[in-house]
Structure formats: structure tokens, C-alpha cells
Amino acid sequence: MNHPSVSYPREAGTPVSHLPFSPAVRVGDLIMVSGQASVDATGQIVQDTFDAEVRRSFENLRKVLETAGSDLAHVVQTRNYVRDPTNVARFNEIYREFFTAPYPARTTITHCLPEILHFEVECVAVPKVGSGD
């Protein structure tokens, strides 16, 4: 029985966490990216405005995807965590800066983060063509 290959892509400069999880896991042709928040390359939370935290989180997502052989155009699903539901409309505007139609499948959850974070995003993606296995 053939099992898909499993790898844990990581490079210097990819956002890390001090918590026990991998930034990304690649299983065959699927890439699962753990929650990306407004953190710097050392994993320290960077508190900022809602807009800035969302953009930093998506930039971190982009970096992790690139390390795994993918990019935002190859994301098939996102899960988004917005602490304050009054920010969902603004989140939708910023989301369109990073994703275009046809959009990935998506879930957005509110009232779910600690006070220190405004936003977090995770995703499932496929590799770019020619990125190898």
C-alpha cells in the first residue's frame, strides 16, 4: 500500500512559534498551514491595528506557503479567526487584497482569540506546478 509522503517544510526566516506545532505539513499534494498571526520571524506577537495585524498574518501565510512550494493563488481553503465581529466587514475588504475570484472555500469564526490578537488565519493549499514532492 502506497502512503503519501509527509514533509515539514521550513526555511530560515519562516515565521515560527514557541508552541508545539509545525508551520506547515505537506502530505502528498496537500499543504496544511497552521494558524498564522501577527508575529515576527522569531514568533513574537506584534500588536498593531486590526488592518496591520491582518496584513502581517497574510504575509506570514505567504512566506510559509512559499517555503512549502505553494503560494496564495494555490490556496483551496482558509479558516479565519476574527476576535471582534465588528471587524468582519473590514476583514472582507482586506481579504480581497490577497485573494481573488474564484475565492478559496472559507470559514470565518469570531469571538475566539485572546485579547493580544485581532486575527489569525490557517489554510489548505496545493503545490505550484513543478514544485516537486
Short mmCIF file of all heavy atoms in Angstrom, two decimals, residues 10-72:
data_model
loop_
_atom_site.label_atom_id
_atom_site.label_comp_id
_atom_site.label_asym_id
_atom_site.label_seq_id
_atom_site.Cartn_x
_atom_site.Cartn_y
_atom_site.Cartn_z
N ARG A 10 10.45 23.92 6.06
CA ARG A 10 10.84 25.06 6.87
C ARG A 10 12.13 25.65 6.36
O ARG A 10 13.01 24.92 5.93
CB ARG A 10 11.07 24.59 8.30
CG ARG A 10 10.33 25.49 9.24
CD ARG A 10 10.19 24.93 10.57
NE ARG A 10 10.53 26.02 11.45
CZ ARG A 10 10.79 25.89 12.69
NH1 ARG A 10 10.78 24.73 13.25
NH2 ARG A 10 11.07 26.92 13.40
N GLU A 11 12.23 26.96 6.38
CA GLU A 11 13.45 27.65 5.98
C GLU A 11 13.71 28.77 6.98
O GLU A 11 12.79 29.22 7.67
CB GLU A 11 13.30 28.27 4.58
CG GLU A 11 13.22 27.28 3.46
CD GLU A 11 13.02 27.94 2.10
OE1 GLU A 11 12.97 29.20 2.04
OE2 GLU A 11 12.90 27.21 1.12
N ALA A 12 14.94 29.24 7.00
CA ALA A 12 15.27 30.39 7.84
C ALA A 12 14.40 31.56 7.43
O ALA A 12 14.15 31.78 6.24
CB ALA A 12 16.75 30.74 7.69
N GLY A 13 13.88 32.29 8.39
CA GLY A 13 13.04 33.44 8.10
C GLY A 13 11.56 33.12 8.03
O GLY A 13 10.73 34.02 7.99
N THR A 14 11.21 31.82 8.01
CA THR A 14 9.80 31.44 8.04
C THR A 14 9.29 31.69 9.46
O THR A 14 9.95 31.34 10.42
CB THR A 14 9.63 29.94 7.69
OG1 THR A 14 10.18 29.71 6.40
CG2 THR A 14 8.17 29.54 7.69
N PRO A 15 8.13 32.31 9.60
CA PRO A 15 7.61 32.55 10.95
C PRO A 15 7.52 31.26 11.76
O PRO A 15 7.14 30.22 11.24
CB PRO A 15 6.21 33.12 10.69
CG PRO A 15 6.28 33.69 9.32
CD PRO A 15 7.23 32.80 8.56
N VAL A 16 7.93 31.35 13.00
CA VAL A 16 7.93 30.19 13.89
C VAL A 16 7.02 30.48 15.08
O VAL A 16 6.59 31.60 15.29
CB VAL A 16 9.35 29.86 14.40
CG1 VAL A 16 10.26 29.49 13.25
CG2 VAL A 16 9.93 31.01 15.20
N SER A 17 6.77 29.45 15.85
CA SER A 17 6.00 29.59 17.08
C SER A 17 6.76 28.88 18.19
O SER A 17 7.50 27.94 17.95
CB SER A 17 4.62 28.98 16.92
OG SER A 17 3.93 29.03 18.15
N HIS A 18 6.52 29.34 19.39
CA HIS A 18 7.10 28.67 20.56
C HIS A 18 6.16 27.58 21.05
O HIS A 18 6.47 26.87 21.99
CB HIS A 18 7.39 29.70 21.65
CG HIS A 18 8.28 30.80 21.15
ND1 HIS A 18 9.62 30.60 20.88
CD2 HIS A 18 8.03 32.08 20.84
CE1 HIS A 18 10.15 31.73 20.43
NE2 HIS A 18 9.20 32.65 20.39
N LEU A 19 5.01 27.45 20.40
CA LEU A 19 4.04 26.42 20.74
C LEU A 19 4.35 25.14 19.97
O LEU A 19 5.04 25.18 18.95
CB LEU A 19 2.62 26.91 20.40
CG LEU A 19 2.19 28.18 21.14
CD1 LEU A 19 0.85 28.68 20.61
CD2 LEU A 19 2.12 27.93 22.63
N PRO A 20 3.86 24.00 20.43
CA PRO A 20 4.22 22.72 19.80
C PRO A 20 3.42 22.41 18.54
O PRO A 20 2.48 21.62 18.54
CB PRO A 20 3.93 21.70 20.91
CG PRO A 20 2.84 22.33 21.72
CD PRO A 20 3.10 23.82 21.68
N PHE A 21 3.77 23.07 17.42
CA PHE A 21 3.20 22.75 16.12
C PHE A 21 4.15 23.16 15.02
O PHE A 21 5.02 23.99 15.21
CB PHE A 21 1.81 23.38 15.92
CG PHE A 21 1.79 24.88 15.87
CD1 PHE A 21 2.07 25.57 14.69
CD2 PHE A 21 1.48 25.62 17.01
CE1 PHE A 21 2.04 26.96 14.64
CE2 PHE A 21 1.45 27.01 16.96
CZ PHE A 21 1.73 27.68 15.79
N SER A 22 3.98 22.55 13.85
CA SER A 22 4.78 22.89 12.67
C SER A 22 4.06 23.98 11.89
O SER A 22 2.83 23.95 11.79
CB SER A 22 4.94 21.66 11.78
OG SER A 22 5.67 20.66 12.45
N PRO A 23 4.79 24.92 11.30
CA PRO A 23 4.15 25.95 10.48
C PRO A 23 3.36 25.36 9.32
O PRO A 23 2.29 25.83 8.98
CB PRO A 23 5.30 26.81 9.98
CG PRO A 23 6.42 26.54 10.91
CD PRO A 23 6.23 25.14 11.40
N ALA A 24 3.89 24.29 8.71
CA ALA A 24 3.22 23.65 7.59
C ALA A 24 3.56 22.17 7.56
O ALA A 24 4.65 21.77 7.97
CB ALA A 24 3.62 24.29 6.27
N VAL A 25 2.62 21.40 7.06
CA VAL A 25 2.83 19.97 6.83
C VAL A 25 2.36 19.70 5.42
O VAL A 25 1.24 20.06 5.04
CB VAL A 25 2.05 19.10 7.83
CG1 VAL A 25 2.25 17.62 7.52
CG2 VAL A 25 2.46 19.41 9.27
N ARG A 26 3.23 19.08 4.65
CA ARG A 26 2.88 18.72 3.28
C ARG A 26 2.67 17.21 3.23
O ARG A 26 3.56 16.43 3.59
CB ARG A 26 3.98 19.14 2.31
CG ARG A 26 3.61 18.87 0.86
CD ARG A 26 4.57 19.55 -0.07
NE ARG A 26 4.33 19.08 -1.44
CZ ARG A 26 4.88 19.62 -2.51
NH1 ARG A 26 5.71 20.63 -2.38
NH2 ARG A 26 4.61 19.13 -3.70
N VAL A 27 1.48 16.80 2.80
CA VAL A 27 1.13 15.39 2.68
C VAL A 27 0.74 15.15 1.23
O VAL A 27 -0.33 15.59 0.80
CB VAL A 27 -0.04 15.01 3.62
CG1 VAL A 27 -0.37 13.53 3.48
CG2 VAL A 27 0.27 15.38 5.06
N GLY A 28 1.63 14.53 0.48
CA GLY A 28 1.37 14.34 -0.95
C GLY A 28 1.16 15.68 -1.62
O GLY A 28 2.03 16.55 -1.58
N ASP A 29 -0.02 15.88 -2.22
CA ASP A 29 -0.32 17.12 -2.92
C ASP A 29 -1.17 18.09 -2.11
O ASP A 29 -1.82 18.96 -2.68
CB ASP A 29 -1.04 16.81 -4.24
CG ASP A 29 -0.07 16.23 -5.27
OD1 ASP A 29 1.14 16.50 -5.17
OD2 ASP A 29 -0.53 15.51 -6.18
N LEU A 30 -1.16 17.95 -0.80
CA LEU A 30 -1.87 18.90 0.06
C LEU A 30 -0.89 19.54 1.04
O LEU A 30 -0.01 18.87 1.58
CB LEU A 30 -2.98 18.22 0.85
CG LEU A 30 -4.21 17.80 0.07
CD1 LEU A 30 -5.19 17.08 1.00
CD2 LEU A 30 -4.88 19.00 -0.57
N ILE A 31 -1.07 20.82 1.26
CA ILE A 31 -0.25 21.56 2.23
C ILE A 31 -1.19 22.16 3.25
O ILE A 31 -2.09 22.93 2.91
CB ILE A 31 0.56 22.67 1.53
CG1 ILE A 31 1.46 22.07 0.46
CG2 ILE A 31 1.35 23.49 2.56
CD1 ILE A 31 1.99 23.07 -0.54
N MET A 32 -1.00 21.78 4.51
CA MET A 32 -1.78 22.35 5.60
C MET A 32 -0.90 23.34 6.35
O MET A 32 0.19 22.99 6.80
CB MET A 32 -2.26 21.26 6.56
CG MET A 32 -3.48 20.48 6.12
SD MET A 32 -3.28 19.43 4.68
CE MET A 32 -2.23 18.14 5.24
N VAL A 33 -1.37 24.58 6.46
CA VAL A 33 -0.61 25.62 7.14
C VAL A 33 -1.30 25.93 8.46
O VAL A 33 -2.49 26.23 8.49
CB VAL A 33 -0.47 26.89 6.28
CG1 VAL A 33 0.28 27.98 7.05
CG2 VAL A 33 0.22 26.58 4.97
N SER A 34 -0.53 25.86 9.54
CA SER A 34 -1.05 26.19 10.87
C SER A 34 -1.40 27.66 10.95
O SER A 34 -0.96 28.47 10.12
CB SER A 34 0.01 25.87 11.93
OG SER A 34 0.27 24.49 11.97
N GLY A 35 -2.16 28.01 11.97
CA GLY A 35 -2.59 29.39 12.17
C GLY A 35 -1.43 30.37 12.14
O GLY A 35 -0.44 30.20 12.84
N GLN A 36 -1.57 31.40 11.31
CA GLN A 36 -0.58 32.46 11.20
C GLN A 36 -1.19 33.74 11.76
O GLN A 36 -2.27 34.14 11.35
CB GLN A 36 -0.16 32.66 9.74
CG GLN A 36 0.50 31.45 9.14
CD GLN A 36 1.76 31.05 9.86
OE1 GLN A 36 2.67 31.87 10.06
NE2 GLN A 36 1.83 29.81 10.30
N ALA A 37 -0.46 34.33 12.68
CA ALA A 37 -0.93 35.56 13.32
C ALA A 37 0.07 36.67 13.05
O ALA A 37 1.02 36.51 12.29
CB ALA A 37 -1.11 35.32 14.82
N SER A 38 -0.14 37.77 13.70
CA SER A 38 0.75 38.93 13.57
C SER A 38 1.98 38.71 14.45
O SER A 38 2.05 39.19 15.57
CB SER A 38 -0.01 40.19 13.99
OG SER A 38 0.82 41.32 13.89
N VAL A 39 2.94 37.93 13.90
CA VAL A 39 4.17 37.66 14.63
C VAL A 39 5.37 38.02 13.75
O VAL A 39 5.26 38.07 12.53
CB VAL A 39 4.28 36.17 15.06
CG1 VAL A 39 3.14 35.80 16.00
CG2 VAL A 39 4.33 35.24 13.87
N ASP A 40 6.50 38.24 14.40
CA ASP A 40 7.73 38.48 13.64
C ASP A 40 8.40 37.13 13.37
O ASP A 40 7.86 36.08 13.74
CB ASP A 40 8.64 39.48 14.37
CG ASP A 40 9.15 38.98 15.71
OD1 ASP A 40 9.12 37.75 15.99
OD2 ASP A 40 9.60 39.83 16.50
N ALA A 41 9.56 37.14 12.75
CA ALA A 41 10.25 35.91 12.36
C ALA A 41 10.67 35.05 13.55
O ALA A 41 10.90 33.86 13.41
CB ALA A 41 11.47 36.22 11.49
N THR A 42 10.72 35.65 14.75
CA THR A 42 11.09 34.88 15.94
C THR A 42 9.88 34.33 16.67
O THR A 42 10.01 33.66 17.69
CB THR A 42 11.91 35.75 16.93
OG1 THR A 42 11.06 36.76 17.49
CG2 THR A 42 13.12 36.38 16.25
N GLY A 43 8.68 34.65 16.18
CA GLY A 43 7.47 34.15 16.83
C GLY A 43 6.88 35.10 17.86
O GLY A 43 5.87 34.78 18.48
N GLN A 44 7.48 36.27 18.01
CA GLN A 44 6.96 37.25 18.97
C GLN A 44 5.75 37.96 18.37
O GLN A 44 5.79 38.41 17.22
CB GLN A 44 8.02 38.28 19.34
CG GLN A 44 9.19 37.69 20.10
CD GLN A 44 8.76 37.04 21.40
OE1 GLN A 44 8.06 37.64 22.20
NE2 GLN A 44 9.17 35.79 21.59
N ILE A 45 4.68 38.06 19.14
CA ILE A 45 3.47 38.74 18.67
C ILE A 45 3.76 40.22 18.46
O ILE A 45 4.39 40.87 19.30
CB ILE A 45 2.32 38.54 19.68
CG1 ILE A 45 1.89 37.07 19.68
CG2 ILE A 45 1.13 39.44 19.33
CD1 ILE A 45 0.88 36.71 20.74
N VAL A 46 3.29 40.74 17.32
CA VAL A 46 3.42 42.16 17.01
C VAL A 46 2.01 42.75 17.08
O VAL A 46 1.20 42.55 16.18
CB VAL A 46 4.02 42.37 15.60
CG1 VAL A 46 4.12 43.86 15.28
CG2 VAL A 46 5.37 41.68 15.47
N GLN A 47 1.72 43.41 18.18
CA GLN A 47 0.40 44.03 18.33
C GLN A 47 0.35 45.30 17.49
O GLN A 47 1.31 46.06 17.43
CB GLN A 47 0.13 44.35 19.79
CG GLN A 47 -0.11 43.11 20.63
CD GLN A 47 -0.46 43.48 22.05
OE1 GLN A 47 0.38 43.95 22.80
NE2 GLN A 47 -1.72 43.26 22.40
N ASP A 48 -0.79 45.49 16.83
CA ASP A 48 -0.92 46.61 15.91
C ASP A 48 -2.40 46.87 15.70
O ASP A 48 -3.24 46.29 16.40
CB ASP A 48 -0.23 46.25 14.58
CG ASP A 48 0.31 47.45 13.83
OD1 ASP A 48 -0.28 48.55 13.97
OD2 ASP A 48 1.29 47.30 13.09
N THR A 49 -2.74 47.68 14.72
CA THR A 49 -4.14 47.90 14.38
C THR A 49 -4.71 46.61 13.77
O THR A 49 -3.94 45.73 13.34
CB THR A 49 -4.29 49.02 13.34
OG1 THR A 49 -3.64 48.60 12.12
CG2 THR A 49 -3.70 50.33 13.85
N PHE A 50 -6.01 46.50 13.70
CA PHE A 50 -6.63 45.34 13.08
C PHE A 50 -6.10 45.15 11.66
O PHE A 50 -5.67 44.06 11.29
CB PHE A 50 -8.17 45.48 13.07
CG PHE A 50 -8.84 44.36 12.37
CD1 PHE A 50 -9.04 43.14 13.00
CD2 PHE A 50 -9.28 44.49 11.05
CE1 PHE A 50 -9.64 42.07 12.34
CE2 PHE A 50 -9.89 43.44 10.39
CZ PHE A 50 -10.08 42.23 11.03
N ASP A 51 -6.14 46.22 10.86
CA ASP A 51 -5.70 46.13 9.46
C ASP A 51 -4.26 45.63 9.36
O ASP A 51 -3.96 44.74 8.56
CB ASP A 51 -5.79 47.49 8.78
CG ASP A 51 -7.22 47.93 8.49
OD1 ASP A 51 -8.16 47.44 9.17
OD2 ASP A 51 -7.40 48.78 7.61
N ALA A 52 -3.38 46.19 10.15
CA ALA A 52 -1.96 45.81 10.10
C ALA A 52 -1.75 44.36 10.54
O ALA A 52 -0.94 43.64 9.96
CB ALA A 52 -1.12 46.76 10.94
N GLU A 53 -2.49 43.93 11.55
CA GLU A 53 -2.35 42.54 12.01
C GLU A 53 -2.85 41.56 10.95
O GLU A 53 -2.25 40.52 10.73
CB GLU A 53 -3.08 42.33 13.33
CG GLU A 53 -2.33 42.92 14.51
CD GLU A 53 -2.88 42.47 15.85
OE1 GLU A 53 -3.49 41.39 15.96
OE2 GLU A 53 -2.67 43.23 16.83
N VAL A 54 -3.95 41.89 10.28
CA VAL A 54 -4.46 41.01 9.22
C VAL A 54 -3.44 40.93 8.10
O VAL A 54 -3.10 39.83 7.63
CB VAL A 54 -5.83 41.50 8.70
CG1 VAL A 54 -6.25 40.69 7.46
CG2 VAL A 54 -6.89 41.41 9.79
N ARG A 55 -2.93 42.05 7.66
CA ARG A 55 -1.95 42.04 6.56
C ARG A 55 -0.68 41.29 6.95
O ARG A 55 -0.13 40.53 6.14
CB ARG A 55 -1.63 43.46 6.13
CG ARG A 55 -2.78 44.10 5.35
CD ARG A 55 -2.40 45.43 4.73
NE ARG A 55 -3.52 45.97 3.98
CZ ARG A 55 -4.40 46.84 4.45
NH1 ARG A 55 -4.28 47.33 5.68
NH2 ARG A 55 -5.39 47.26 3.69
N ARG A 56 -0.18 41.50 8.17
CA ARG A 56 1.02 40.79 8.62
C ARG A 56 0.74 39.28 8.67
O ARG A 56 1.58 38.46 8.28
CB ARG A 56 1.49 41.30 9.98
CG ARG A 56 2.82 40.71 10.42
CD ARG A 56 3.36 41.35 11.71
NE ARG A 56 3.70 42.74 11.49
CZ ARG A 56 2.98 43.78 11.93
NH1 ARG A 56 1.87 43.59 12.63
NH2 ARG A 56 3.38 45.01 11.69
N SER A 57 -0.43 38.89 9.12
CA SER A 57 -0.79 37.47 9.18
C SER A 57 -0.81 36.85 7.79
O SER A 57 -0.29 35.75 7.57
CB SER A 57 -2.16 37.30 9.84
OG SER A 57 -2.14 37.79 11.17
N PHE A 58 -1.39 37.57 6.81
CA PHE A 58 -1.42 37.05 5.44
C PHE A 58 -0.02 37.03 4.82
O PHE A 58 0.30 36.13 4.04
CB PHE A 58 -2.39 37.84 4.56
CG PHE A 58 -3.81 37.40 4.72
CD1 PHE A 58 -4.80 38.30 5.08
CD2 PHE A 58 -4.18 36.08 4.51
CE1 PHE A 58 -6.12 37.89 5.23
CE2 PHE A 58 -5.49 35.65 4.66
CZ PHE A 58 -6.46 36.57 5.01
N GLU A 59 0.83 37.99 5.15
CA GLU A 59 2.21 37.96 4.67
C GLU A 59 2.95 36.76 5.27
O GLU A 59 3.74 36.10 4.59
CB GLU A 59 2.93 39.27 4.97
CG GLU A 59 2.45 40.43 4.11
CD GLU A 59 2.58 40.19 2.61
OE1 GLU A 59 3.50 39.47 2.16
OE2 GLU A 59 1.73 40.72 1.86
N ASN A 60 2.69 36.46 6.55
CA ASN A 60 3.29 35.28 7.15
C ASN A 60 2.78 34.01 6.48
O ASN A 60 3.55 33.08 6.22
CB ASN A 60 3.01 35.24 8.66
CG ASN A 60 3.83 36.25 9.42
OD1 ASN A 60 4.83 36.76 8.93
ND2 ASN A 60 3.40 36.57 10.63
N LEU A 61 1.49 33.98 6.17
CA LEU A 61 0.92 32.84 5.45
C LEU A 61 1.62 32.67 4.11
O LEU A 61 2.00 31.56 3.72
CB LEU A 61 -0.57 33.05 5.25
CG LEU A 61 -1.34 31.92 4.57
CD1 LEU A 61 -1.41 30.70 5.47
CD2 LEU A 61 -2.75 32.39 4.21
N ARG A 62 1.83 33.78 3.41
CA ARG A 62 2.51 33.74 2.11
C ARG A 62 3.92 33.14 2.26
O ARG A 62 4.32 32.29 1.46
CB ARG A 62 2.61 35.15 1.53
CG ARG A 62 3.22 35.21 0.14
CD ARG A 62 3.51 36.62 -0.36
NE ARG A 62 2.55 37.63 -0.03
CZ ARG A 62 1.55 38.04 -0.83
NH1 ARG A 62 1.40 37.48 -2.01
NH2 ARG A 62 0.76 39.01 -0.46
N LYS A 63 4.66 33.56 3.27
CA LYS A 63 6.02 33.05 3.48
C LYS A 63 6.02 31.55 3.76
O LYS A 63 6.86 30.81 3.22
CB LYS A 63 6.69 33.78 4.65
CG LYS A 63 7.02 35.22 4.36
CD LYS A 63 7.55 35.90 5.61
CE LYS A 63 7.66 37.40 5.40
NZ LYS A 63 7.96 38.11 6.65
N VAL A 64 5.11 31.09 4.59
CA VAL A 64 5.04 29.66 4.91
C VAL A 64 4.67 28.87 3.66
O VAL A 64 5.25 27.81 3.39
CB VAL A 64 4.05 29.40 6.07
CG1 VAL A 64 3.85 27.90 6.28
CG2 VAL A 64 4.54 30.06 7.36
N LEU A 65 3.73 29.37 2.89
CA LEU A 65 3.34 28.69 1.65
C LEU A 65 4.51 28.60 0.67
O LEU A 65 4.73 27.56 0.04
CB LEU A 65 2.17 29.41 0.99
CG LEU A 65 0.81 29.21 1.65
CD1 LEU A 65 -0.19 30.21 1.12
CD2 LEU A 65 0.31 27.77 1.45
N GLU A 66 5.26 29.68 0.51
CA GLU A 66 6.41 29.67 -0.40
C GLU A 66 7.42 28.62 0.03
O GLU A 66 7.98 27.91 -0.81
CB GLU A 66 7.03 31.06 -0.47
CG GLU A 66 6.17 32.04 -1.25
CD GLU A 66 6.68 33.48 -1.19
OE1 GLU A 66 7.71 33.74 -0.53
OE2 GLU A 66 6.02 34.34 -1.80
N THR A 67 7.67 28.51 1.32
CA THR A 67 8.59 27.50 1.84
C THR A 67 8.11 26.09 1.50
O THR A 67 8.92 25.20 1.26
CB THR A 67 8.73 27.66 3.36
OG1 THR A 67 9.30 28.94 3.63
CG2 THR A 67 9.62 26.60 3.97
N ALA A 68 6.80 25.92 1.44
CA ALA A 68 6.21 24.60 1.16
C ALA A 68 5.98 24.35 -0.33
O ALA A 68 5.39 23.34 -0.69
CB ALA A 68 4.90 24.47 1.93
N GLY A 69 6.40 25.28 -1.19
CA GLY A 69 6.24 25.08 -2.63
C GLY A 69 4.89 25.53 -3.18
O GLY A 69 4.42 25.02 -4.18
N SER A 70 4.27 26.50 -2.52
CA SER A 70 2.97 26.97 -2.95
C SER A 70 2.92 28.49 -2.86
O SER A 70 3.94 29.15 -2.64
CB SER A 70 1.87 26.33 -2.09
OG SER A 70 0.59 26.57 -2.65
N ASP A 71 1.73 29.03 -3.04
CA ASP A 71 1.52 30.47 -2.89
C ASP A 71 0.03 30.73 -2.66
O ASP A 71 -0.77 29.78 -2.64
CB ASP A 71 2.03 31.24 -4.12
CG ASP A 71 1.40 30.80 -5.42
OD1 ASP A 71 0.28 30.24 -5.41
OD2 ASP A 71 2.02 31.02 -6.47
N LEU A 72 -0.34 31.98 -2.48
CA LEU A 72 -1.73 32.31 -2.18
C LEU A 72 -2.68 31.92 -3.31
O LEU A 72 -3.84 31.59 -3.07
CB LEU A 72 -1.86 33.81 -1.86
CG LEU A 72 -1.20 34.27 -0.57
CD1 LEU A 72 -1.27 35.79 -0.44
CD2 LEU A 72 -1.82 33.60 0.65
#
